[in-house]
Amino acid sequence: MTTATHRVRLPAAQQPPWASDERLESVRAGLASLPPLVDASAVHRLRVELARAAQGTGFVLQGGDCAEPFLDSAPARITAKADQLADLADLLATRAALPVVRIGRFAGQYAKPRSHPAETLADGTVLPVYRGDAVNRPEADPAARRPDPARLRAAYDHATRCLDTLLLQGHLAQGAGGAAYTSHEALLVDLEEPLVREDPEAAGHYSSSAHMLWIGERTRQLDGWHVRFAETVNNPVGVKLGPGASPDDVRDLCERLARGHSAGRLSLITRLGAAETARRLPALIEAAADFAGRVVWLCDPMHGNTVRHASGRKTRVMTDMIREVTDFFTVLRAHDVPPGGLHVEMTPDDVTECVDDPTGLATDALPRYRSACDPRLSPAQARDLLTVTAGLLARKDTP
Ligand code: PEP
Ligand code: MN
């Protein structure tokens, strides 16, 4: 059987070297014939909620794992994550007296861009890198690391399990009711294209894989598949902006992804690093001046602040993250642009992945390091960062 799927024929960065084209095509055809994961109506409602964040009458909390494991589609796991997101959103909403939109990095955050295609183990063995559960498995074993197209179908099934639980527990945005929305990095061509559906609510198509999709720092090339794919769907989309992002990049992204759309369509997610935010953010904001009040500015204080712990693990320092959020608020307000929200990696588990201050970089070990990819905030660290953010948000005049 062949099923026509949405195709964007441009070079795509960060795609796994799938072993079999034939199996890949059959998985794609299967995905194209399945029901949508999310409804177009909730996708459109999220755009309206994001428009408020663009205008300063709402705020976004987007958070969850760096790499969501398939095992976490177990009901107790996804519920714990949705509860954490809801509690932190309540903290923000109460202290800042603003509606807070919850967007989980869950129910589909199964694919990871990587800086290197291979990983060298301590004994010198070289393995293909782990690219997220939608592609391969994290175990240090050649068979586990082989990209397997069957995992794309498994990703759909695990997302379904998460969504079913969220729905049953009243955690999912539905009909007119606002609860949590889902999001993930739109990375894999062969997962995203088959899940595009005709939009019953507006002209064109929407991605049924999540309410909101974002494009990562490593795949936001203006001539590549990812930005073009985002243009072809009506969902709200985000784009990560690292320290290498230029004002021209921002201008072009706004033209391509926000021009002709209502407010809330495009979120610019800055992850410049604590040391660079005050210096680099002003020119990026100025480059988006034509789209003021329509683009949402989100602060990701995690990805520009990744450093090595003495143990060799990747970590992040809370004081750096707090500084990046603080500078983000200061710079946006100096430009009379509302800070639209926060994008974080966090977990309801009591992990030791991020450290509280620079002295933590030299400790012997990070004993409860569980992330398969980047270091996440523990529940206490997430609460601390959100408390600082709520304070900044509540003081509308000067941060
Ligand atoms: C991420 O969000 O996990 C990620 C890889 O981010 P970035 O694209 O900003 O590096
Ligand atoms: Mn990450």
Side-chain angles (χ1 to χ4, degrees), residues 65-67 105 109 112 240 302-303 316 345 373-375:
D65 285 303
C66 179
R105 279 180 67 118
Q109 177 47 24
K112 296 310 302 171
K240 295 283 201 91
M302 318 286 302
H303 288 88
R316 292 160 175 157
E345 291 181 340
C373 195
D374 288 341

Side-chain angles (χ1 to χ4, degrees), residues 45 85 95 136 163 183 195 228-229 236 246 283 302 319 329 338 353 360 369 390:
R45 207 176 56 257
L85 190 66
R95 296 203 188 177
N136 56 6
L163 291 160
S183 70
L195 294 176
R228 176 69 197 127
F229 175 78
S246 68
M302 318 286 302
T319 48
F329 270 77
E353 296 176 3
Y369 202 108

Side-chain angles (χ1 to χ4, degrees), residues 145-161:
R145 294 291 176 87
R146 201 169 300 132
D148 179 358
R151 299 186 75 85
L152 295 171
R153 171 56 201 257
Y156 176 95
D157 294 336
H158 282 282
T160 303
R161 280 188 80 192

